[in-house]
Amino acid sequence: MLLELSGDLQTHDPTIIKEKGKYYRIQTGPGIPLFVSDNLKEWKEYGHIFNDSPSWVKEKVPLARKNDFWAPDCLFRKGSYRIYYSVSSFGKNTSAIGMCKLSALDLKSKAFTIEDCGPVLCSGEKDDFNAIDAQVCSDGKGQDYLLFGSFWKGLQLVKLNEEGFVQEGADFIHIASRNLIPNSIEGGFIYRRNGMYFLFASHDFCCRGLESTYKIVVGASPSIEGPYYDGEGRPMLQGGGSLLRDGNSFSAFAGPGHNSIFEDEDGKTYIVYHAYDRKKGGRPALQIEEIKWKNDWPYLEE
Protein backbone atom coordinates (compact mmCIF):
# COMPACT_ATOMS: atom_id res chain seq x y z
CA MET A 1 0.00 0.00 0.00
CA LEU A 2 1.33 3.41 -0.96
CA LEU A 3 2.32 5.87 1.74
CA GLU A 4 0.47 9.16 1.60
CA LEU A 5 3.12 11.65 0.50
CA SER A 6 3.18 15.43 0.22
CA GLY A 7 5.53 18.24 -0.75
CA ASP A 8 8.02 18.14 -3.59
CA LEU A 9 7.46 14.69 -5.08
CA GLN A 10 8.58 15.10 -8.69
CA THR A 11 11.27 12.51 -9.27
CA HIS A 12 13.04 10.02 -11.47
CA ASP A 13 15.14 7.13 -10.10
CA PRO A 14 14.89 8.02 -6.39
CA THR A 15 16.85 6.50 -3.53
CA ILE A 16 16.55 7.26 0.20
CA ILE A 17 19.01 7.11 3.06
CA LYS A 18 18.86 8.33 6.65
CA GLU A 19 21.27 10.42 8.70
CA LYS A 20 20.75 11.77 12.23
CA GLY A 21 16.99 11.22 12.20
CA LYS A 22 16.37 12.84 8.82
CA TYR A 23 15.52 11.13 5.55
CA TYR A 24 17.41 12.25 2.47
CA ARG A 25 16.32 11.53 -1.10
CA ILE A 26 18.62 11.82 -4.09
CA GLN A 27 17.56 11.32 -7.69
CA THR A 28 18.20 11.96 -11.37
CA GLY A 29 18.50 15.64 -12.27
CA PRO A 30 20.72 18.71 -12.47
CA GLY A 31 23.51 18.56 -9.90
CA ILE A 32 21.98 15.47 -8.23
CA PRO A 33 18.99 17.03 -6.44
CA LEU A 34 18.66 16.45 -2.70
CA PHE A 35 15.38 16.43 -0.75
CA VAL A 36 14.78 16.07 2.98
CA SER A 37 11.99 14.73 5.20
CA ASP A 38 11.47 14.34 8.93
CA ASN A 39 8.94 11.49 8.61
CA LEU A 40 9.41 9.83 5.18
CA LYS A 41 6.12 11.36 3.99
CA GLU A 42 6.56 15.14 3.70
CA TRP A 43 9.37 16.21 1.37
CA LYS A 44 11.06 19.49 0.54
CA GLU A 45 13.95 20.36 -1.77
CA TYR A 46 17.22 20.88 0.06
CA GLY A 47 19.79 21.70 -2.62
CA HIS A 48 22.09 20.00 -5.11
CA ILE A 49 25.24 17.99 -4.57
CA PHE A 50 27.09 19.35 -7.62
CA ASN A 51 27.16 22.90 -8.94
CA ASP A 52 28.66 21.78 -12.23
CA SER A 53 29.87 18.66 -14.01
CA PRO A 54 33.26 17.35 -12.85
CA SER A 55 36.05 18.08 -15.32
CA TRP A 56 36.43 14.45 -16.44
CA VAL A 57 32.84 14.13 -17.72
CA LYS A 58 33.36 16.03 -20.99
CA GLU A 59 36.26 13.77 -21.94
CA LYS A 60 34.54 10.47 -21.10
CA VAL A 61 31.01 11.33 -22.23
CA PRO A 62 31.17 14.20 -24.76
CA LEU A 63 27.42 14.18 -25.50
CA ALA A 64 26.28 14.26 -21.87
CA ARG A 65 24.26 17.33 -20.95
CA LYS A 66 26.12 19.69 -18.65
CA ASN A 67 25.53 19.06 -14.93
CA ASP A 68 23.00 16.30 -15.71
CA PHE A 69 23.32 13.20 -13.55
CA TRP A 70 21.29 9.99 -13.56
CA ALA A 71 20.19 7.36 -11.06
CA PRO A 72 22.43 8.03 -8.03
CA ASP A 73 23.10 5.52 -5.27
CA CYS A 74 24.45 6.30 -1.80
CA LEU A 75 26.10 4.26 0.96
CA PHE A 76 28.33 4.88 3.97
CA ARG A 77 31.86 3.46 3.86
CA LYS A 78 35.09 4.24 5.73
CA GLY A 79 33.78 7.40 7.41
CA SER A 80 32.11 9.08 4.43
CA TYR A 81 29.12 8.80 2.14
CA ARG A 82 29.91 7.51 -1.31
CA ILE A 83 27.54 8.61 -4.05
CA TYR A 84 27.67 6.76 -7.34
CA TYR A 85 26.06 8.53 -10.29
CA SER A 86 25.75 8.09 -14.05
CA VAL A 87 26.45 10.42 -16.96
CA SER A 88 25.22 9.50 -20.42
CA SER A 89 23.07 10.57 -23.34
CA PHE A 90 19.68 8.97 -23.83
CA GLY A 91 19.71 5.80 -25.94
CA LYS A 92 23.53 5.55 -26.21
CA ASN A 93 26.03 3.46 -24.27
CA THR A 94 28.82 6.03 -24.26
CA SER A 95 28.39 6.39 -20.53
CA ALA A 96 30.20 6.51 -17.22
CA ILE A 97 29.57 5.81 -13.55
CA GLY A 98 31.31 8.32 -11.31
CA MET A 99 31.75 8.53 -7.56
CA CYS A 100 32.02 11.36 -5.08
CA LYS A 101 32.50 11.37 -1.31
CA LEU A 102 30.50 13.49 1.14
CA SER A 103 31.43 14.06 4.76
CA ALA A 104 27.71 14.41 5.61
CA LEU A 105 24.36 14.46 3.85
CA ASP A 106 23.35 17.79 5.37
CA LEU A 107 24.67 20.15 2.69
CA LYS A 108 24.15 23.14 4.97
CA SER A 109 26.17 21.86 7.91
CA LYS A 110 29.55 23.44 8.66
CA ALA A 111 31.15 20.01 8.49
CA PHE A 112 30.01 19.36 4.90
CA THR A 113 32.70 18.64 2.33
CA ILE A 114 32.59 17.01 -1.09
CA GLU A 115 35.32 15.26 -3.07
CA ASP A 116 34.75 14.03 -6.62
CA CYS A 117 36.69 10.81 -7.16
CA GLY A 118 36.27 10.50 -10.91
CA PRO A 119 34.95 7.65 -13.06
CA VAL A 120 34.53 4.14 -11.68
CA LEU A 121 33.37 2.41 -14.86
CA CYS A 122 33.02 3.62 -18.46
CA SER A 123 31.42 2.16 -21.58
CA GLY A 124 31.48 3.03 -25.26
CA GLU A 125 30.14 1.99 -28.64
CA LYS A 126 32.44 -1.06 -28.81
CA ASP A 127 31.18 -2.41 -25.47
CA ASP A 128 28.23 -4.76 -24.99
CA PHE A 129 27.12 -3.05 -21.78
CA ASN A 130 25.94 0.37 -20.63
CA ALA A 131 27.70 1.91 -17.62
CA ILE A 132 24.68 3.49 -15.92
CA ASP A 133 22.18 2.67 -13.14
CA ALA A 134 24.75 1.95 -10.45
CA GLN A 135 24.03 0.29 -7.11
CA VAL A 136 26.63 -0.89 -4.63
CA CYS A 137 25.66 -4.08 -2.82
CA SER A 138 27.56 -6.23 -0.31
CA ASP A 139 27.91 -9.96 0.19
CA GLY A 140 27.76 -9.40 3.96
CA LYS A 141 31.39 -10.44 4.38
CA GLY A 142 32.96 -7.13 3.49
CA GLN A 143 33.03 -7.52 -0.29
CA ASP A 144 31.23 -4.78 -2.20
CA TYR A 145 30.00 -5.23 -5.75
CA LEU A 146 28.89 -2.70 -8.35
CA LEU A 147 25.57 -3.65 -9.94
CA PHE A 148 24.98 -1.80 -13.21
CA GLY A 149 23.47 -2.01 -16.67
CA SER A 150 20.69 -0.79 -18.91
CA PHE A 151 19.55 -2.55 -22.11
CA TRP A 152 22.52 -3.90 -24.18
CA LYS A 153 23.70 -7.04 -22.28
CA GLY A 154 21.45 -6.42 -19.27
CA LEU A 155 22.48 -6.32 -15.61
CA GLN A 156 25.96 -7.21 -14.42
CA LEU A 157 28.06 -7.29 -11.25
CA VAL A 158 31.74 -6.53 -10.74
CA LYS A 159 33.76 -6.54 -7.51
CA LEU A 160 34.93 -3.27 -5.99
CA ASN A 161 38.06 -2.64 -3.96
CA GLU A 162 38.04 -1.04 -0.51
CA GLU A 163 38.23 2.44 -2.02
CA GLY A 164 35.08 1.86 -4.05
CA PHE A 165 36.60 1.40 -7.50
CA VAL A 166 36.42 -1.62 -9.78
CA GLN A 167 38.80 -4.28 -8.51
CA GLU A 168 41.75 -4.81 -10.83
CA GLY A 169 41.27 -7.93 -12.93
CA ALA A 170 37.71 -8.53 -11.67
CA ASP A 171 35.33 -10.36 -13.99
CA PHE A 172 31.95 -9.02 -15.06
CA ILE A 173 29.19 -11.34 -13.83
CA HIS A 174 26.05 -11.38 -15.95
CA ILE A 175 22.95 -11.80 -13.72
CA ALA A 176 19.82 -10.63 -15.61
CA SER A 177 18.66 -10.18 -19.19
CA ARG A 178 15.47 -10.17 -21.27
CA ASN A 179 17.20 -11.61 -24.36
CA LEU A 180 15.14 -9.22 -26.48
CA ILE A 181 15.91 -6.55 -29.06
CA PRO A 182 15.98 -4.07 -27.49
CA ASN A 183 16.95 -5.75 -24.22
CA SER A 184 14.57 -3.76 -22.02
CA ILE A 185 15.88 -4.29 -18.49
CA GLU A 186 17.58 -1.76 -16.22
CA GLY A 187 17.56 -0.13 -12.78
CA GLY A 188 18.75 -3.16 -10.82
CA PHE A 189 18.88 -3.21 -7.02
CA ILE A 190 20.05 -6.09 -4.78
CA TYR A 191 18.74 -6.38 -1.22
CA ARG A 192 20.08 -8.98 1.24
CA ARG A 193 17.67 -10.57 3.74
CA ASN A 194 18.00 -13.72 5.87
CA GLY A 195 20.83 -15.14 3.81
CA MET A 196 19.10 -14.55 0.47
CA TYR A 197 19.74 -11.91 -2.16
CA PHE A 198 16.75 -10.33 -3.88
CA LEU A 199 17.31 -8.72 -7.26
CA PHE A 200 14.77 -6.04 -8.15
CA ALA A 201 14.74 -4.69 -11.69
CA SER A 202 12.65 -2.67 -14.13
CA HIS A 203 11.36 -4.25 -17.33
CA ASP A 204 10.22 -2.40 -20.45
CA PHE A 205 10.26 1.35 -21.10
CA CYS A 206 10.64 4.47 -18.98
CA CYS A 207 10.43 8.21 -19.62
CA ARG A 208 7.41 8.24 -21.94
CA GLY A 209 4.99 9.83 -19.51
CA LEU A 210 1.62 8.09 -19.52
CA GLU A 211 2.85 5.85 -22.35
CA SER A 212 5.60 4.41 -20.13
CA THR A 213 5.43 0.62 -19.78
CA TYR A 214 7.88 0.23 -16.88
CA LYS A 215 7.18 -2.52 -14.37
CA ILE A 216 9.05 -3.77 -11.29
CA VAL A 217 10.05 -7.44 -11.05
CA VAL A 218 12.05 -9.49 -8.55
CA GLY A 219 14.04 -12.69 -8.30
CA ALA A 220 16.22 -14.29 -5.62
CA SER A 221 19.43 -16.26 -5.10
CA PRO A 222 21.41 -17.66 -2.14
CA SER A 223 24.52 -16.09 -3.73
CA ILE A 224 25.00 -12.44 -4.59
CA GLU A 225 26.54 -13.58 -7.88
CA GLY A 226 23.43 -15.58 -8.77
CA PRO A 227 21.91 -17.27 -10.59
CA TYR A 228 18.65 -15.47 -9.77
CA TYR A 229 15.24 -17.08 -10.22
CA ASP A 230 11.75 -15.67 -9.85
CA GLY A 231 8.95 -17.16 -7.75
CA GLU A 232 8.03 -19.59 -10.53
CA GLY A 233 11.58 -20.82 -11.02
CA ARG A 234 12.31 -18.85 -14.20
CA PRO A 235 15.91 -17.62 -14.52
CA MET A 236 16.32 -13.86 -14.63
CA LEU A 237 19.07 -14.37 -17.19
CA GLN A 238 16.34 -15.57 -19.52
CA GLY A 239 13.72 -12.92 -18.92
CA GLY A 240 12.32 -14.15 -15.60
CA GLY A 241 11.09 -11.90 -12.82
CA SER A 242 8.04 -12.03 -10.55
CA LEU A 243 5.87 -8.96 -11.04
CA LEU A 244 5.61 -6.56 -8.10
CA ARG A 245 4.14 -3.44 -9.70
CA ASP A 246 3.02 -2.43 -13.19
CA GLY A 247 0.82 0.21 -14.78
CA ASN A 248 -2.29 -1.75 -13.90
CA SER A 249 -1.57 -1.76 -10.17
CA PHE A 250 -3.02 1.68 -9.45
CA SER A 251 -5.46 3.57 -11.66
CA ALA A 252 -3.79 6.89 -10.79
CA PHE A 253 -0.27 6.03 -11.99
CA ALA A 254 1.44 4.56 -15.04
CA GLY A 255 4.88 3.02 -15.58
CA PRO A 256 6.18 2.32 -12.05
CA GLY A 257 9.89 1.55 -12.00
CA HIS A 258 13.54 2.20 -11.25
CA ASN A 259 13.25 1.27 -7.61
CA SER A 260 15.60 1.27 -4.67
CA ILE A 261 15.12 -0.42 -1.29
CA PHE A 262 15.31 1.44 2.01
CA GLU A 263 15.45 -0.31 5.41
CA ASP A 264 14.44 1.96 8.28
CA GLU A 265 15.70 1.77 11.84
CA ASP A 266 12.40 0.25 13.03
CA GLY A 267 12.99 -2.81 10.84
CA LYS A 268 10.47 -1.89 8.16
CA THR A 269 11.62 -2.18 4.57
CA TYR A 270 10.35 0.13 1.84
CA ILE A 271 10.49 0.07 -1.93
CA VAL A 272 11.06 3.53 -3.41
CA TYR A 273 10.35 4.27 -7.08
CA HIS A 274 8.81 6.69 -9.54
CA ALA A 275 5.57 6.43 -11.51
CA TYR A 276 3.69 8.77 -13.86
CA ASP A 277 0.72 10.62 -12.41
CA ARG A 278 -2.34 10.30 -14.65
CA LYS A 279 -4.06 13.18 -12.87
CA LYS A 280 -1.14 15.52 -13.64
CA GLY A 281 -0.57 14.71 -17.29
CA GLY A 282 2.13 12.09 -16.71
CA ARG A 283 4.30 13.99 -14.27
CA PRO A 284 6.82 11.60 -12.60
CA ALA A 285 6.02 11.23 -8.91
CA LEU A 286 7.66 9.64 -5.88
CA GLN A 287 6.14 6.39 -4.61
CA ILE A 288 7.02 4.65 -1.33
CA GLU A 289 5.55 1.33 -0.19
CA GLU A 290 6.32 -0.99 2.68
CA ILE A 291 7.47 -4.40 1.49
CA LYS A 292 5.68 -7.34 3.07
CA TRP A 293 7.03 -10.88 3.24
CA LYS A 294 5.29 -14.24 2.90
CA ASN A 295 7.27 -17.46 2.98
CA ASP A 296 10.41 -15.31 2.71
CA TRP A 297 9.23 -13.76 -0.56
CA PRO A 298 8.48 -10.03 -1.03
CA TYR A 299 5.05 -8.76 -1.99
CA LEU A 300 3.19 -5.44 -2.02
CA GLU A 301 -0.32 -4.91 -0.69
CA GLU A 302 -2.96 -3.44 -2.95
Side-chain angles (χ1 to χ4, degrees):
M1 183 176 295
L2 292 170
L3 297 188
E4 293 186 9
L5 306 178
S6 63
D8 199 330
L9 304 180
Q10 186 164 339
T11 190
H12 265 122
D13 317 324
T15 189
I16 292 173
I17 52 177
K18 194 174 185 179
E19 180 189 51
K20 296 181 179 179
K22 290 187 178 294
Y23 300 90
Y24 292 90
R25 176 179 111 231
I26 56 175
Q27 61 187 48
T28 288
I32 309 182
L34 185 72
F35 300 78
V36 66
S37 173
D38 293 322
N39 56 14
L40 198 60
K41 297 180 181 180
E42 300 168 280
W43 292 93
K44 61 181 179 181
E45 188 173 2
Y46 200 62
H48 299 78
I49 290 171
F50 284 122
N51 293 320
D52 201 352
S53 296
S55 58
W56 61 266
V57 170
K58 187 66 175 177
E59 174 189 353
K60 298 295 184 181
V61 191
L63 296 180
R65 290 191 300 179
K66 188 176 181 180
N67 204 31
D68 185 35
F69 305 94
W70 298 0
D73 183 49
C74 183
L75 70 160
F76 189 78
R77 291 287 187 274
K78 299 182 72 172
S80 62
Y81 290 92
R82 296 176 183 174
I83 293 184
Y84 291 77
Y85 58 89
S86 305
V87 289
S88 188
S89 52
F90 200 82
K92 299 182 181 296
N93 73 327
T94 301
S95 308
I97 293 169
M99 179 180 66
C100 65
K101 293 180 181 179
L102 308 183
S103 58
L105 295 176
D106 186 350
L107 307 181
K108 300 177 183 179
S109 72
K110 293 182 180 179
F112 176 80
T113 60
I114 180 171
E115 173 191 359
D116 187 70
C117 302
V120 173
L121 181 67
C122 299
S123 61
E125 293 180 359
K126 295 182 180 180
D127 294 311
D128 62 358
F129 64 92
N130 194 8
I132 67 170
D133 291 0
Q135 186 233 345
V136 176
C137 44
S138 173
D139 66 357
K141 300 177 182 178
Q143 178 63 61
D144 282 339
Y145 289 75
L146 180 70
L147 170 61
F148 66 93
S150 170
F151 287 65
W152 276 265
K153 198 176 179 179
L155 305 185
Q156 299 189 67
L157 287 171
V158 65
K159 288 182 178 179
L160 299 178
N161 61 28
E162 290 187 357
E163 298 306 314
F165 293 90
V166 173
Q167 195 176 97
E168 186 175 356
D171 294 326
F172 285 5
I173 304 162
H174 195 198
I175 61 170
S177 177
R178 303 289 301 284
N179 296 326
L180 300 173
I181 299 175
N183 193 17
S184 52
I185 181 172
E186 58 187 9
F189 195 101
I190 291 176
Y191 173 68
R192 182 166 57 91
R193 181 181 186 270
N194 293 341
M196 291 292 290
Y197 297 86
F198 293 88
L199 172 60
F200 299 80
S202 294
H203 282 182
D204 297 330
F205 299 94
C206 172
C207 309
R208 300 180 178 185
L210 296 180
E211 301 302 315
S212 300
T213 55
Y214 245 10
K215 55 181 66 70
I216 302 171
V217 301
V218 64
S221 172
S223 168
I224 193 171
E225 296 185 1
Y228 287 85
Y229 295 89
D230 67 16
E232 297 181 5
R234 297 171 298 186
M236 292 190 76
L237 269 171
Q238 299 177 24
S242 296
L243 181 66
L244 279 180
R245 277 283 175 255
D246 65 6
N248 299 317
S249 298
F250 299 110
S251 60
F253 296 97
H258 204 116
N259 76 273
S260 59
I261 305 297
F262 170 68
E263 187 175 301
D264 209 346
E265 295 166 350
D266 60 4
K268 292 182 179 180
T269 303
Y270 298 91
I271 186 168
V272 182
Y273 60 93
H274 71 253
Y276 297 91
D277 193 334
R278 290 191 171 101
K279 296 179 180 178
K280 295 183 179 180
R283 186 177 185 180
L286 176 68
Q287 311 291 318
I288 302 176
E289 296 188 68
E290 183 181 353
I291 297 177
K292 302 291 186 178
W293 300 87
K294 183 176 182 180
N295 298 325
D296 291 323
W297 193 263
Y299 71 97
L300 301 175
E301 294 180 337
E302 296 299 330

